[in-house]
Amino acid sequence: MVEELLIAAATVASAGVVYVAAAARIVKQYERGVVLRLGRLRGEPRPPGFTLVVPGVDRLHKVNMQIVTMPVPAQEGITRDNVTVRVDAVVYFKVVDASNAIIRVEDYRFAVSQMAQTSLRSIIGKSDLDDLLSNREKLNQGLELMIDSPAVDWGVSIDRVEIKDVSLPETMKRSMARQAEADRERRARIINADAELQASKKLAEAAGVMSEQPAALQLRLLQTVVAVAAEKNSTLVLPFPVELLRFLERAQQPNELHGPTPPPSGSSDAA
């Protein structure tokens, strides 16, 4: 009798161990367990740790709650200003409702990927080339809203969307390079013209000062001679001021008006 009881107890214990082994499940810290009993959702998702399910009746689906980094394949489209571009992006998202991620959508990763590609092509068609190149922050926000709107019903939250790269045709790259070169040349010419204007104003002020003080012109001439001589050249170029010629011209004008000076009277008598 005792032996039969021991055998029965051992059998029950073995069956219990087998049942626990078949029903035991481990849910990791970054996961949630969604239980479907006979195809129907069973309560709230199981928290991390050890949990039990009914073997053959319950089915446990583990859902990763970590942030997922998903690259969006490069999409080719035509911008609003008729430029063909190729744009790729990356989407950061996470599951916030494990039950909806299993029940509402067949494969939430594939769904987010397809929605991101469609939204990226839509953003390309609505934007100008300048916006794609310089105003990416605004485009990222618009792209995030377009993806996040349907993803809310899937139990997925879009954390961030970033446009990685914009590829342009070679002809457009050359056109942009010529445009940038022309713009730099325009700015250089404006700067040179402004410098010439400022220099002309300063030279006019200097000419006014020299006209009031004639000795300043001679001092400036000597400074020029010293500067030229410091170069150790074999030939010395000496600038001749025009004002000096005008001074000599004015000095000769009285003699031309009065004629030559008559000789002394004493010398004519002697002759």
Side-chain angles (χ1 to χ4, degrees), residues 5 17 37 49-51 58 75 141 160 259 267:
L5 292 176
V17 171
R37 178 167 294 177
F50 180 80
T51 186
D58 293 345
Q75 302 297 313
Q141 294 177 0
R160 190 179 182 88
S267 60

Side-chain angles (χ1 to χ4, degrees), residues 41-57:
L41 181 64
R42 180 69 179 177
E44 296 295 326
R46 301 292 176 88
F50 180 80
T51 186
L52 293 176
V53 298
V54 179
V57 177

Side-chain angles (χ1 to χ4, degrees), residues 42-79:
R42 180 69 179 177
E44 296 295 326
R46 301 292 176 88
F50 180 80
T51 186
L52 293 176
V53 298
V54 179
V57 177
D58 293 345
R59 185 174 180 181
L60 180 66
H61 297 270
K62 298 179 182 180
V63 181
N64 193 330
M65 307 296 288
Q66 292 176 311
I67 294 178
V68 179
T69 303
M70 176 179 293
V72 181
Q75 302 297 313
E76 187 172 352
I78 301 177
T79 61

Side-chain angles (χ1 to χ4, degrees), residues 17-203:
V17 171
V18 172
Y19 177 82
V20 171
R25 297 291 186 275
I26 300 296
V27 180
K28 298 180 181 179
Q29 181 65 38
Y30 54 86
E31 294 176 338
R32 297 295 183 271
V34 179
V35 178
L36 298 178
R37 178 167 294 177
L38 298 178
R40 297 176 62 89
L41 181 64
R42 180 69 179 177
E44 296 295 326
R46 301 292 176 88
F50 180 80
T51 186
L52 293 176
V53 298
V54 179
V57 177
D58 293 345
R59 185 174 180 181
L60 180 66
H61 297 270
K62 298 179 182 180
V63 181
N64 193 330
M65 307 296 288
Q66 292 176 311
I67 294 178
V68 179
T69 303
M70 176 179 293
V72 181
Q75 302 297 313
E76 187 172 352
I78 301 177
T79 61
R80 191 166 56 182
D81 49 354
N82 298 324
V83 178
T84 303
V85 295
R86 189 177 180 87
V87 183
D88 58 350
V90 60
V91 180
Y92 302 89
F93 69 94
K94 62 180 178 180
V95 177
V96 294
D97 191 335
S99 298
N100 287 339
I102 295 297
I103 302 300
R104 295 292 184 87
V105 63
E106 180 180 2
D107 187 350
Y108 66 90
R109 290 175 180 265
F110 180 75
V112 171
S113 176
Q114 294 300 311
M115 179 58 64
Q117 295 179 39
T118 305
S119 301
L120 183 58
R121 286 195 297 268
S122 178
I123 283 291
I124 293 174
K126 295 179 181 179
S127 304
D128 294 331
L129 179 61
D130 293 338
D131 294 335
L132 289 175
L133 296 177
S134 60
N135 196 13
R136 292 189 181 182
E137 188 66 28
K138 183 178 178 180
L139 296 180
N140 292 338
Q141 294 177 0
L143 190 59
E144 179 179 347
L145 291 175
M146 294 180 66
I147 302 175
D148 191 59
S149 297
V152 172
D153 296 334
W154 305 337
V156 177
S157 175
I158 304 301
D159 187 71
R160 190 179 182 88
V161 181
E162 292 286 345
I163 295 178
K164 294 172 59 178
D165 187 26
V166 178
S167 300
L168 300 175
E170 292 297 329
T171 55
M172 180 57 63
K173 291 181 180 180
R174 290 193 294 268
S175 299
M176 295 177 65
R178 289 195 299 268
Q179 179 183 358
E181 184 179 358
D183 184 68
R184 287 193 297 267
E185 185 176 355
R186 177 183 62 85
R187 285 183 291 175
R189 290 183 179 180
I190 292 175
I191 293 173
N192 289 335
D194 187 60
E196 292 292 338
L197 177 60
Q198 295 180 9
S200 63
K201 291 181 179 179
K202 294 298 181 181
L203 289 175

